[in-house]
């Protein structure tokens, strides 16, 4: 047994607990039990979480753990864990660490050899994806895009030929600008779904091509309020006309330099989502 493990054999456990993103019935029975049983709850905003605790009749003490104090104050939670206390980490809504604080604390606690246990539950990106009807076998979560237009467009340019389904969080006051930029960079035909106020009274899941979705949000100020997730279909290589994006060609060329032609084409297809036959033909031409 290592010294760290021996030193921490009596340590408590850090539970990473998901809380609802709107509908309070989404707090799991296990989350409820853990929040009642731990010695301390590390919360992003103690005043906000106090209301949730009051609703469920939980009297466990709350202590702040937010992005401004997480690195410095993490040591206080670590001390309690090392002394044998169990601690729960929660954020204002959904799963901690997902566009929320907790990353530094989890790292510190794991580095100290202390057990970290997830108590899964609500997460806006998964809720939106699961009901979007867009491909869910492979997806990427991009969190919040940069707030300023130039940064946002630059980021989107890098994602233009991403073949996996893309998921973004966005603030309501920027949703229209964000949709405008998505339309400008990805094109108005790309399928997208806006998930707004998920699990709440005015829940909306609107699926339209980006151009129409932008116009729909623009025409109705109510769609520019509340919390939103955008799910956008991944890039698809144009079928039949032989056009393949520059990123796919770059990947193909890199692989061709290292691998036999057939293997390079197959792997490039896997990475980029472009049809294998098309890449194979291109590989043949490029080798000649
Ligand atoms: N940790 C949370 C999670 O697991 O989803 C996310 C926290 S992040 C600070 C807040 C963002 O999540 C919001 O700006 C919005 O993009 C998204 N979000 C949270 N709740 C939502 C809801 N009920 N409906 C739609 N989006 C939501």
């Amino acid at each position: 047994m290592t010294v760290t493990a021996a030193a921490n054999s009596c340590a408590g456990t850090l539970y990473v607990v998901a809380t609802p993103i709107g509908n309070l019935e989404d707090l799991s029975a296990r989350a409820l039990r853990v929040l009642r049983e731990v010695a301390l709850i590390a919360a992003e905003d103690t005043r906000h979480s106090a209301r949730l605790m009051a609703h469920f009749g939980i009297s466990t003490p709350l202590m702040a753990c937010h992005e401004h104090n997480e690195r410095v104050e993490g040591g206080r939670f670590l001390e309690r864990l090392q002394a044998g206390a169990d601690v729960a980490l929660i954020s204002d809504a959904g799963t901690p660490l997902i566009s929320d604080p907790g990353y530094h604390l989890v790292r510190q606690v794991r580095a100290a050899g202390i057990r970290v246990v997830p108590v899964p539950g609500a997460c806006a990106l998964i809720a939106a994806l699961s009901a979007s009807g867009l491909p869910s076998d492979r997806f990427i979560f991009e969190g919040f895009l940069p707030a300023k237009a130039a940064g946002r467009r630059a980021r989107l340019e890098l994602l233009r030929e991403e073949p996996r389904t893309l998921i973004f969080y966005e603030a309501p006051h920027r949703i229209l600008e964000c949709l405008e930029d998505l339309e400008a960079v990805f094109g108005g035909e790309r399928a997208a779904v806006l998930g707004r106020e998920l699990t709440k009274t005015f829940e909306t899941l609107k699926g339209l091509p980006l151009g129409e979705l932008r116009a729909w949000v623009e025409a109705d100020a109510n769609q520019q309020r509340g919390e939103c997730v955008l799910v956008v279909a991944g890039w698809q290589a144009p079928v039949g006309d032989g056009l393949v994006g520059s990123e796919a060609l770059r990947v193909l060329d890199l692989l061709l330099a290292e691998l036999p032609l057939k293997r390079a084409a197959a792997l490039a297809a896997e990475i980029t989502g472009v049809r294998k036959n098309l890449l194979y033909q291109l590989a043949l031409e490029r080798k000649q």
Side-chain angles (χ1 to χ4, degrees):
M1 193 184 286
T2 64
V3 175
T4 315
N8 290 315
S9 59
C10 302
T13 297
L14 176 69
Y15 294 93
V16 182
V17 181
T19 58
I21 56 169
N23 191 325
L24 297 184
E25 289 179 40
D26 290 338
L27 189 74
S28 74
R30 182 173 173 225
L32 204 51
R33 180 181 57 73
V34 167
L35 292 174
R36 285 206 171 110
E37 288 178 1
V38 292
L40 181 68
I41 299 173
E44 179 181 4
D45 177 342
T46 53
R47 277 201 305 185
H48 176 97
S49 294
R51 290 193 287 275
L52 184 74
M53 298 306 133
H55 177 88
F56 286 103
I58 298 168
S59 51
T60 310
L62 295 164
M63 197 188 277
C65 176
H66 45 69
E67 60 179 331
H68 305 296
N69 77 350
E70 197 189 327
R71 281 181 218 228
V72 182
E73 298 287 317
R76 285 165 66 190
F77 297 110
L78 200 55
E79 277 168 22
R80 295 292 300 270
L81 286 157
Q82 274 162 338
D86 288 336
V87 175
L89 169 69
I90 60 173
S91 63
D92 286 354
T95 303
L97 280 84
I98 306 301
S99 296
D100 265 344
Y103 168 73
H104 299 288
L105 180 62
V106 167
R107 273 186 77 86
Q108 276 181 20
V109 171
R110 286 182 61 86
I114 294 173
R115 198 163 160 237
V116 179
V117 171
V119 181
C123 180
L125 78 103
I126 298 297
L129 177 67
S130 69
S132 69
L134 293 176
S136 54
D137 50 346
R138 298 205 299 160
F139 62 89
I140 60 163
F141 173 54
E142 279 289 317
F144 289 93
L145 285 163
K148 294 202 175 122
R152 190 164 54 231
R153 286 223 181 186
R155 182 83 205 123
L156 290 176
E157 287 290 350
L158 293 174
L159 295 168
R160 191 211 307 253
E161 291 181 6
E162 168 57 60
R164 293 167 292 184
T165 297
L166 302 112
I167 307 173
F168 304 95
Y169 282 168
E170 193 49 280
H173 60 278
R174 272 196 292 270
I175 190 69
L176 187 55
E177 292 171 45
C178 177
L179 281 165
E180 284 168 358
D181 286 347
L182 279 163
E183 182 185 0
V185 178
F186 291 180
E189 298 305 311
R190 185 90 71 99
V193 173
L194 171 64
R196 206 176 60 80
E197 294 288 87
L198 296 173
T199 79
K200 304 187 200 177
T201 310
F202 296 106
E203 177 178 88
T204 310
L205 271 154
K206 187 74 172 176
L208 284 171
L210 274 172
E212 291 177 41
L213 190 61
R214 189 261 314 134
W216 183 75
V217 169
E218 197 167 24
D220 181 357
N222 282 328
Q223 305 307 332
Q224 299 164 40
R225 299 197 178 103
E227 300 196 274
C228 5
V229 184
L230 275 167
V231 187
V232 182
W235 178 80
Q236 279 191 315
V239 182
D241 62 2
L243 279 177
V244 171
S246 56
E247 182 58 19
L249 287 177
R250 196 179 72 83
V251 171
L252 181 63
D253 285 340
L254 284 171
L255 293 172
L256 276 173
E258 304 290 335
L259 296 169
L261 189 142
K262 201 169 166 192
R263 182 84 192 109
L267 216 52
E270 180 76 14
I271 295 168
T272 62
V274 178
R275 278 188 303 121
K276 192 161 71 182
N277 289 351
L278 194 54
L279 287 171
Y280 185 73
Q281 285 305 322
L282 280 167
L284 282 173
E285 286 167 23
R286 289 168 109 71
K287 275 285 180 196
Q288 282 161 11

